[in-house]
Amino acid sequence: MRCYFAPMEGLTDSIYRRLHHKYFPGLDRYYTPFFSPTMHRKLTNREERELPIADALDFTVIPQVLTKVPEDLLWFAAVCKDRGYNELNINLGCPSGTVTAKGKGSGMLADPDQLDRFLDCVFSKATLPISVKTRLGFTDPREFIQLLEIYNQYPICELTIHPRVRKQFYNGAVEIELFDHAVQNSKNPLCYNGNLCSLQDISSFEKKYPTVGAVMLGRALIADPGMVCGGTKIDTLEQFHNELLETYTEVFGNARNAMFRMKENWRHLLCNFEESDKLGKRLRKTTDISEYKAITQEIFHTLPLRKMLLADW
Ligand SMILES: Cc1cc2nc3c(=O)[nH]c(=O)nc-3n(C[C@H](O)[C@H](O)[C@H](O)COP(=O)(O)O)c2cc1C
């Protein structure tokens, strides 16, 4: 079973991916958070940093794109190909109101005919393999039956399914019956994404779905970055954290912004630690970098890791 790191805007940027691979090597792929190409046909400095030349990396990265304009996607695909990437992933899942209001992300699932025309144009001209990350639908999970018929008409190199609809965002139960429908009826290879929280979850999934080749993990890997790579040792986690903070400080030119960036990781990391309520509260409140460093040190050195993480993989 291949394991991928999910794209996560504000979390899995290029710095995070490089350092994650340094401290926890072994994942099959990393997906970038989405790029939104515009008619200006030029990468910004930040986008250039987020899309490093693929040959400079010793791990596999798949760029993700969010657009409803086929020409913008095709331009971005050509840029990715030039920079050495071998695949482009289309985001058909983003639930954010500002994205769906423009008919993008999971907003594209609300108009299957337009989605069909979009994919037709993309697949007739694409110069590199295209994968798709989708939800089950916009409002009703049963929309997926028709959506899968559309996906089946195109050579999607991998179809990642997050079995929720837009209004669920990332919460509530996943509709596994409709994933089962995909397993039985998809003409394209599948990847599963959603609520896999532990190695046990992955191994049960693998037993239940032996024909599905890949799983994509998001929040659980931010919380437990070594989960599928030999386990998360506290010393390694601390070194990973410290080098992330240092690198963000250099790149942002500002330790406070680096600290706010790291606090996004702590939303997930904190649940690794027993009895983290008090220090977690102080961590969320502080706006002072020295205090932030002291609190994180105290967390790493005094709080016990939850048993799940200490298990001998
Ligand atoms: C903060 C955050 C940012 C995300 N950014 C993206 C994104 O850029 N592209 C995307 O396809 N999904 C994005 N997702 C969704 C994740 O890729 C994934 O589908 C979701 O977290 C469910 O998987 P999980 O249960 O393993 O966490 C994001 C999710 C979160 C929580």
Side-chain angles (χ1 to χ4, degrees):
M1 174 76 65
R2 294 184 303 281
C3 284
Y4 306 155
F5 212 135
M8 300 184 90
E9 173 64 22
L11 289 166
T12 61
D13 54 33
S14 58
I15 293 169
Y16 185 93
R17 297 191 298 269
R18 180 170 60 77
L19 293 176
H20 183 272
H21 174 74
K22 173 176 169 182
Y23 288 98
F24 304 101
L27 279 184
D28 293 286
R29 293 167 162 208
Y30 294 79
Y31 284 76
T32 73
F34 64 80
F35 288 83
S36 295
T38 62
M39 62 207 293
H40 302 304
R41 300 285 184 266
K42 194 170 171 0
L43 292 184
T44 62
N45 291 343
R46 185 183 159 275
E47 285 170 334
E48 293 219 6
R49 187 182 79 213
E50 290 308 314
L51 195 66
I53 303 297
D55 283 349
L57 306 171
D58 51 6
F59 50 94
T60 303
V61 174
I62 312 294
Q64 188 188 63
V65 66
L66 178 108
T67 180
K68 63 174 181 183
V69 183
E71 293 73 23
D72 291 352
L73 185 146
L74 292 165
W75 170 77
F76 186 68
V79 169
C80 291
K81 192 175 179 189
D82 272 1
R83 296 173 85 83
Y85 292 91
N86 297 322
E87 180 181 324
L88 178 65
N89 182 260
I90 307 180
N91 179 324
L92 296 180
C94 182
S96 151
T98 49
V99 167
T100 57
K102 294 180 199 140
K104 296 196 270 186
S106 62
M108 290 183 81
L109 307 179
D111 187 345
D113 291 340
Q114 197 184 329
L115 175 66
D116 195 6
R117 285 194 295 275
F118 170 84
L119 292 175
D120 190 51
C121 189
V122 164
F123 279 93
S124 62
K125 296 186 185 145
T127 50
L128 80 175
I130 302 280
S131 57
V132 164
K133 180 164 181 273
T134 186
R135 285 179 182 258
L136 296 176
F138 191 70
T139 44
D140 184 334
R142 310 249 354 132
E143 291 165 27
F144 187 67
I145 311 269
Q146 185 189 359
L147 292 172
L148 186 65
E149 281 171 19
I150 295 173
Y151 296 144
N152 276 343
Q153 292 167 41
Y154 300 99
I156 295 170
C157 65
E158 192 163 64
L159 178 66
T160 297
I161 300 174
H162 178 73
R164 289 191 171 101
V165 291
R166 183 256 164 174
K167 67 171 179 248
Q168 291 177 283
F169 281 67
Y170 302 109
N171 308 315
V174 294
E175 297 275 349
I176 207 67
E177 299 76 27
L178 284 154
F179 183 73
D180 293 346
H181 173 79
V183 172
Q184 281 146 25
N185 297 288
S186 176
K187 294 191 175 154
N188 295 307
L190 295 179
C191 169
Y192 174 85
N193 166 249
N195 288 36
L196 294 176
C197 296
S198 63
L199 274 189
Q200 288 86 336
D201 286 353
I202 298 171
S203 116
S204 315
F205 179 87
E206 205 171 359
K207 282 202 192 92
K208 187 170 173 198
Y209 297 105
T211 59
V212 176
V215 290
M216 179 185 273
L217 310 168
R219 292 163 293 186
L221 274 189
I222 301 286
D224 183 359
M227 187 171 92
V228 291
C229 313
T232 305
K233 310 259 176 333
I234 190 73
D235 295 355
T236 320
L237 185 62
E238 185 178 9
Q239 286 162 21
F240 175 50
H241 167 273
N242 292 350
E243 193 169 346
L244 275 172
L245 181 66
E246 209 175 283
T247 314
Y248 285 130
T249 304
E250 264 169 44
V251 171
F252 300 165
N254 178 326
R256 256 169 72 93
N257 288 353
M259 170 185 72
F260 288 123
R261 171 65 190 73
M262 290 308 297
K263 284 190 181 200
E264 294 302 315
N265 293 43
W266 278 106
R267 278 174 200 254
H268 303 276
L269 277 173
L270 271 174
C271 51
N272 284 339
F273 295 90
E274 304 270 11
E275 301 150 32
S276 64
D277 288 2
K278 229 169 107 195
L279 283 171
K281 199 167 166 195
R282 281 180 54 208
L283 184 75
R284 279 189 287 273
K285 262 180 83 177
T286 187
T287 53
D288 177 79
I289 184 68
S290 311
E291 192 185 4
Y292 170 87
K293 285 182 180 170
I295 298 168
T296 54
Q297 263 228 336
E298 201 175 334
I299 293 176
F300 287 124
H301 292 265
T302 65
L303 295 189
L305 274 184
R306 284 195 194 281
K307 284 219 174 48
M308 191 183 86
L309 294 172
L310 292 172
D312 184 7
W313 309 118

